[in-house]
Amino acid sequence: MEALGGSSFPSFTQPLISTTVFEKPIFQIPLTQKLTSHVPVVLSKKGNLKSFTAISPTVLSTEESENSSSPDQETEAEIEEEKFDWFAQWYPVTPICDLDKRRPHGKRVLGIDIVIWWDRNENEWKVFDDSCPHRLAPLSEGRIDQWGRLQCVYHGWCFGGSGDCKFIPQAPRDGPPVHTSSKACVAVYPSCVLNNILWFWASSDPLYRDVLSKKKPPYIPELDDPSFSNTMICRDLPYGYEVLIENLMDPAHVPYAHYGIMRIPDTPKSLKADREGGKPLEMTIEKLDINGFTSKQLLVNSYFIPPCMFYGAFSSGGGPSKKSPLSAGTTEEPPSSVPMKKMFLIFYCIPVSPGNSRLILATSRNFGAWMQRFVPRWLFHIRQNLVLDSDLYLLHMEDRKTMDVGPLNWHKSGFVPTKADANVIAFRRWLNKYGGTQVDWGTRFSRLLPPTPPRDQLFDRYWSHTVNCSSCYLAYKRLNALEVALQVICIVSIGIVAAGKHGIMSVAARNTLASMAVLCFVASKWLSHFIYRTFKYHDYDHAFR
């Protein structure tokens, strides 16, 4: 899924060295040391850390391959010993740059409906249960009142940053203070901002009120480093969390599912050649336990940190620079070094509900920073959205077929004999051994997937991205205004030409206005098509790519 990067990769020739360092209260993931341990996502006994690779079809038979790659062979004692608690984790919600402090925002994560709003009295973002305690109306449809309180627009109840009810309009002023009752309070979720992303803890139990001081979300320093340029995109997708992560862990599908969108990194040949020929991928899983796993593909290391993060870091170049002939043999200039090029691809895969997920893609690099300074963010999203659309239908249908056979039988219904599937096998092994075979939705859902919508709804971009992206939504409104302006100029120009008399207006002026009308008409039609395909709907037909 490297195609989601903001630009083409350089040629990476040196091995990547990366690490996750556990520092209290924040653990960091720098790039300069080898990973020795994953984030302590849960407190549990140490698991059995056996290295394994995907199975080669030339070594094992089909039956042996299924047995060897099966993630459900762990004993019941091992599963009971280490259990991943889905509701005792930090989850990313959305990039901060896409939040408007003037209004509340409704989101769903892990089946939990939450409302995000800016508390100007405490100068921080708050995450509440998206349900008014009065009549369960969604608070995300409310407003921020003049005193900086979250107000439900159904009956006007107002709430402070601690979830306490501040005002009930229907309560008598001289009567009992019913607004102070604990039943009038809204459930509050612990939250924080890290790497310019809003995170929340998926439990409103008061036991976790101070969880931020004990355990924090995974932190990547490069996303806050001013020498690195960073871009983010957030998109809701009509397929499940499990399929989303598997897809991002699978580089072998890029030249086929994303054919024609971009070139493959480190490959000067066209994608067509790669698609026709293909090549084996050497992938090895070096570590797998309840805290995730480490994957190595040639010189690149990738890391899965449950429940949401999968990232890879790339580096190239570096070392002493070559001196020019004029400076050779002199001692005036110390030998300078060429800075190493570094790039991070960080995928935050968020479970929303059965059959629905959300992806936050963050890219960070210390080269080509001028592009982020001068190119608006929405232009980067055009290609990234196209990449997500190009395999959207494939994953939507795969999600339903996997659900039909059951999560424990996925390795029997499909055939994964090559090393290219090592990451997918590792993720399913982790999920079945520690995660209960699939996401725990509590009692919110029956685990049945929603029916497949019409294609124009399946590939919808407006509600899945544009309306929630500050950059794309602003561009959408401005380009629509430009389209209207072009149409007005076209109509006015035609009207002037039609109303003008031959003696009053010269032939050159009439021709100029007529030409302007034609150009504005053509430009408005092209712009209308561009807006529709960029911000609203873009289908993808692989047969003609």
Side-chain angles (χ1 to χ4, degrees):
M1 205 62 181
E2 292 92 336
L4 283 170
S7 63
S8 58
F9 292 84
S11 177
F12 300 108
T13 57
Q14 295 191 5
L16 166 73
I17 303 177
S18 183
T19 184
T20 303
V21 177
F22 305 108
E23 298 182 357
K24 296 182 179 180
I26 299 179
F27 61 83
Q28 297 183 349
I29 311 176
L31 185 66
T32 55
Q33 295 181 350
K34 187 174 180 181
L35 183 69
T36 57
S37 180
H38 282 294
V39 181
V41 181
V42 294
L43 299 177
S44 61
K45 295 181 180 180
K46 198 169 183 179
N48 185 17
L49 310 180
K50 293 184 179 180
S51 299
F52 71 99
T53 60
I55 303 145
S56 172
T58 60
V59 178
L60 299 178
S61 65
T62 303
E63 181 178 358
E64 291 171 333
S65 175
E66 291 177 351
N67 293 334
S68 297
S69 60
S70 172
D72 58 345
Q73 292 188 8
E74 311 300 334
T75 65
E76 293 183 1
E78 289 176 320
I79 296 177
E80 292 178 358
E81 181 183 2
E82 295 183 303
K83 180 68 174 179
F84 186 81
D85 188 349
W86 292 88
F87 290 93
Q89 310 295 332
W90 286 102
Y91 287 86
V93 182
T94 187
I96 290 298
C97 59
D98 290 332
L99 292 176
D100 188 344
K101 293 182 178 180
R102 300 170 300 175
R103 58 164 302 165
H105 303 264
K107 295 290 183 181
R108 175 177 287 180
V109 178
L110 201 64
I112 305 171
D113 290 319
I114 57 176
V115 57
I116 305 159
W117 65 286
W118 176 254
D119 183 3
R120 68 169 183 254
N121 296 313
E122 297 186 22
N123 202 35
E124 63 182 6
W125 291 101
K126 300 291 186 177
V127 178
F128 286 5
D129 186 50
D130 193 12
S131 181
C132 180
H134 177 214
R135 297 270 291 278
L136 308 184
L139 293 172
S140 56
E141 293 296 318
R143 64 173 68 94
I144 310 298
D145 70 5
Q146 57 183 327
W147 293 282
R149 303 172 303 190
L150 177 62
Q151 184 183 70
C152 175
V153 294
Y154 194 21
H155 292 90
W157 288 34
C158 298
F159 304 92
S162 300
D164 54 321
C165 184
K166 297 292 187 180
F167 178 60
I168 298 178
Q170 296 77 25
R173 303 296 186 273
D174 54 351
V178 294
H179 68 279
T180 60
S181 171
S182 60
K183 294 182 178 180
C185 296
V186 182
V188 181
Y189 294 92
S191 61
C192 68
V193 174
L194 204 63
N195 285 147
N196 296 313
I197 294 175
L198 178 67
W199 298 73
F200 94 111
W201 184 264
S203 176
S204 59
D205 192 316
L207 176 67
Y208 298 109
R209 182 173 301 170
D210 299 323
V211 67
L212 186 61
S213 62
K214 304 173 184 177
K215 175 181 174 181
K216 296 195 176 185
Y219 176 66
I220 297 183
E222 284 74 11
L223 288 178
D224 292 331
D225 191 334
S227 65
F228 281 72
S229 61
N230 302 298
T231 60
M232 284 189 185
I233 183 175
C234 183
R235 173 86 180 262
D236 288 338
L237 298 166
Y239 48 84
Y241 156 88
E242 297 91 344
V243 173
L244 172 61
I245 287 191
E246 289 177 356
N247 184 56
L248 297 172
M249 291 179 174
D250 173 24
H253 80 283
V254 174
Y256 304 94
H258 307 305
Y259 174 73
I261 299 177
M262 66 171 294
R263 294 178 181 271
I264 300 300
D266 300 336
T267 306
K269 300 179 181 179
S270 68
L271 271 173
K272 185 177 180 180
D274 284 324
R275 182 175 69 169
E276 292 176 350
K279 58 182 179 181
L281 297 178
E282 294 292 328
M283 301 177 68
T284 304
I285 306 302
E286 298 183 339
K287 176 186 178 70
L288 190 150
D289 60 19
I290 194 171
N291 298 313
F293 60 82
T294 304
S295 169
K296 182 166 185 176
Q297 179 188 351
L298 297 179
L299 303 178
V300 178
N301 290 345
S302 300
Y303 310 96
F304 169 58
I305 302 175
C308 294
M309 179 183 283
F310 178 71
Y311 78 98
F314 312 84
S315 63
S316 70
S321 61
K322 296 181 180 179
K323 288 187 176 182
S324 64
L326 295 177
S327 62
T330 65
T331 58
E332 296 179 359
E333 295 182 5
S336 61
S337 60
V338 178
M340 178 178 290
K341 293 182 178 180
K342 302 176 184 178
M343 181 172 183
F344 282 75
L345 276 179
I346 305 103
F347 302 102
Y348 301 93
C349 306
I350 307 166
V352 174
S353 62
N356 294 281
S357 60
R358 182 176 302 119
L359 170 67
I360 299 176
L361 166 64
T363 61
S364 179
R365 60 185 183 181
N366 63 352
F367 59 93
W370 64 270
M371 297 183 68
Q372 274 70 32
R373 297 193 190 102
F374 300 104
V375 179
R377 181 166 156 245
W378 67 271
L379 286 176
F380 292 103
H381 292 179
I382 293 177
R383 186 177 64 177
Q384 293 169 335
N385 273 317
L386 185 60
V387 172
L388 293 172
D389 285 335
S390 59
D391 56 12
L392 186 149
Y393 186 77
L394 307 175
L395 300 174
H396 177 82
M397 297 308 299
E398 177 186 334
D399 190 22
R400 276 143 181 78
K401 294 179 179 179
T402 303
M403 181 63 69
D404 289 341
V405 300
L408 285 174
N409 297 321
W410 73 273
H411 63 288
K412 297 178 181 178
S413 59
F415 184 47
V416 285
T418 67
K419 292 183 178 181
D421 294 309
N423 281 344
V424 175
I425 294 173
F427 172 69
R428 283 291 176 175
R429 182 180 179 185
W430 176 89
L431 192 63
N432 287 359
K433 181 178 180 181
Y434 303 108
T437 73
Q438 56 187 337
V439 176
D440 182 8
W441 304 107
T443 59
R444 292 175 176 82
F445 301 101
S446 63
R447 298 187 183 273
L448 295 178
L449 298 181
T452 299
R455 200 170 181 91
D456 58 343
Q457 295 181 24
L458 194 64
F459 283 85
D460 165 74
R461 279 194 190 176
Y462 182 79
W463 293 106
S464 66
H465 172 71
T466 301
V467 75
N468 297 312
C469 175
S470 59
S471 180
C472 288
Y473 188 63
L474 181 61
Y476 173 75
K477 293 195 297 184
R478 289 179 175 177
L479 291 177
N480 272 309
L482 177 58
E483 180 189 354
V484 173
L486 291 172
Q487 293 172 352
V488 170
I489 294 173
C490 175
I491 295 173
V492 170
S493 299
I494 293 175
I496 294 175
V497 172
K501 297 182 179 179
H502 292 285
I504 299 177
M505 185 178 297
S506 65
V507 176
R510 293 171 63 88
N511 291 340
T512 300
L513 287 175
S515 300
M516 182 183 300
V518 172
L519 289 176
C520 288
F521 175 78
V522 173
S524 68
K525 285 296 182 181
W526 177 89
L527 188 57
S528 175
H529 180 71
F530 175 80
I531 292 172
Y532 184 76
R533 289 173 61 87
T534 303
F535 301 109
K536 300 185 74 174
Y537 170 77
H538 189 121
D539 203 345
Y540 198 96
D541 189 347
H542 289 272
F544 296 100
R545 302 295 294 191

